Structure formats: C-alpha cells, structure tokens
Amino acid sequence: MIKGGPKKDLQEKQLTILISQPKPETEKSPYYDLAKKFNVRLDFYPFIRVEGVPGKDFRKQKVDIITYTAVIFTSRNAVDHFFRICEELKVKVSQDCKYFCITEAVALYLQKFILYRKRKVFYGADGSTKSLLEVMNKHRENEKFLFPSSDSQKKDIEEWMKTNKCEYAIASLYKTVSNDVKEVLTNTEYDMIVFFSPSGVKSLFENMPKFKQNGTHIGAFGPTTSAAVEEAGLRLDVKAPAPQAPSMVAALEQFLLSLKK
C-alpha cells in the first residue's frame, strides 16, 4: 500500500521502488545492477499501455505521409507506430526524409527501421522540448513536418510550428490507456514511485483518486513528466535527465547515494 504514516528512516530499511514500466527483457539491465548495489527492491509494473490506431482509421485523417519531408518523434512509441502504419499502408518513406527526435536515445532507436545517417537525423541536446525546437528552427526552411503523436501529444511543439508558420500535420497513430494498478499499489508499501510520462501520473489518480503522497518519494523522467507530477500537486524528489544524471538509473543512484550521507 502507499505510505500514509510518518516518513520512514530510509537508511535503516530495504527501499521498495515501483518503476512504472514493463520489466526489462534482459537480466543485464542497469536497473538490476542498481538494485544489487544498493540492496533495494525494484518492482516493475506499467501504469499505461499503448494501443495503435488501425490503418483504416488513420486513412480517415487524410494525411499523405509521402508528401512530408521531415518527421518529429518525441518517443519510441511514436517511432514504432509511424513505421507500423507505413508498413500496413505500404507507404515507402523517402531516403531523403529528415527525422527530428526529442533525445539521442529516440534518434538511435531509428536504426531499427532506417539506414541511420547523421545528416538526416537530429535530436535535442538535453532531452527537453526547447532543445528539440532549437534544432528544428535551424532546419525549418522548406521543410514540411509530420508529427506522429498520441492522444496526449506535446502541444508546445504544435504551437511552435503554428507561430513559425511551418507546414505541418498531426498524425494520431496511437493512444495511451490506463492499466489497473490498484492491486499493485495496495499490496506493497512503496518508498518511491517512478513515472515516465504524464499519462502514468494520470493513471495513478484514475486508479487512486484520493492518493496522498505523504512520505512516498516521486521520480520523473522527462520535462513533461516532471511538469505533470508538480501540476498534480506532488513533490518531485528525483528528476532525470539532468546534467549529472542522463538516465533514470543514474538519477536513482544519486538519490540512493545521498541517503548514505
């Protein structure tokens, strides 16, 4: 269950951390190294699931993919579902198409689908929307942007394209749905919950409308997730990416080290 009493002495007990993502597919995950190094219990359970928009429904959006010269990706889900739709509709994307990605990790993920060339794949310096827009601004002349998104897209990117009079289209390719996590949250007393999307924060309150943070620590990956945590009235204790913590594992390690001081 979620902690409701006084804050526990985190230095005197084995910490329990709920990672709101699927369990890693390999035992070589850095999460397991972290758990072993600090003797913490890590539980993995996705707070949301992603459901793709069928090709027949996508056609109703009247978006002709091959007419766009640049694609914006803000997540791996967007990459997966963009190329799924292309395959389903037998669309061949031009080799000259440019890709603008929110992070280097998303950019590198493209290697699953395209021949990776630095001259056509760009990404933000620090994982923020601001840095992504700075990169897009350098290349926006004569580009026609396609923004594959979910039902909870980044509105600030669309606003930027409107303000800068870019040619663009939004392609709704997938949606996020809350999982039932009531049992997970009530059966274990977690010292920390880590979120990776605003939808995950939304799922928490859909499952437990009366949730009170009390002594539970909250971690968030990505600027929009961090904003969602704070907008929900929660205290944000661990934030990534950051200059000294480019990954959530690195941020958690810093947090756990701070408890020993």
Side-chain angles (χ1 to χ4, degrees), residues 101-251:
C101 305
I102 190 77
T103 63
E104 183 179 12
V106 172
L108 292 172
Y109 188 67
L110 279 169
Q111 293 178 104
K112 286 184 62 176
F113 303 95
I114 67 168
L115 182 60
Y116 192 95
R117 295 191 184 97
K118 288 185 178 179
R119 65 178 174 81
K120 70 174 182 179
V121 180
F122 309 89
Y123 52 86
D126 60 6
S128 68
T129 301
K130 180 183 177 183
S131 66
L132 170 61
L133 295 177
E134 287 172 353
V135 174
M136 288 173 59
N137 192 50
K138 295 177 183 177
H139 301 272
R140 65 185 173 88
E141 294 297 327
N142 303 316
E143 296 295 350
K144 191 174 178 183
F145 293 100
L146 180 62
F147 185 16
S149 69
S150 69
D151 50 343
S152 56
Q153 69 180 33
K154 293 177 179 290
K155 299 291 185 183
D156 42 4
I157 292 177
E158 183 177 5
E159 287 301 319
W160 181 88
M161 290 191 289
K162 281 182 182 177
T163 301
N164 288 277
K165 297 180 170 55
C166 298
E167 272 197 89
Y168 75 94
I170 306 295
S172 181
L173 302 183
Y174 59 100
K175 60 182 179 179
T176 53
V177 180
S178 294
N179 282 330
D180 185 347
V181 294
K182 296 185 189 70
E183 187 174 343
V184 175
L185 294 173
T186 54
N187 285 353
T188 302
E189 190 171 330
Y190 287 104
D191 296 294
M192 177 182 288
I193 305 174
V194 180
F195 295 101
F196 295 85
S197 72
S199 299
V201 180
K202 179 183 176 184
S203 176
L204 170 66
F205 287 97
E206 286 184 352
N207 278 275
M208 302 188 73
K210 297 181 179 179
F211 173 76
K212 299 295 181 185
Q213 184 174 5
N214 298 316
T216 306
H217 292 268
I218 299 292
F221 186 84
T224 57
T225 309
S226 297
V229 167
E230 292 172 339
E231 286 168 8
L234 301 175
R235 183 191 67 256
L236 182 58
D237 302 291
V238 178
K239 185 177 181 180
Q244 303 304 317
S247 68
M248 179 49 70
V249 170

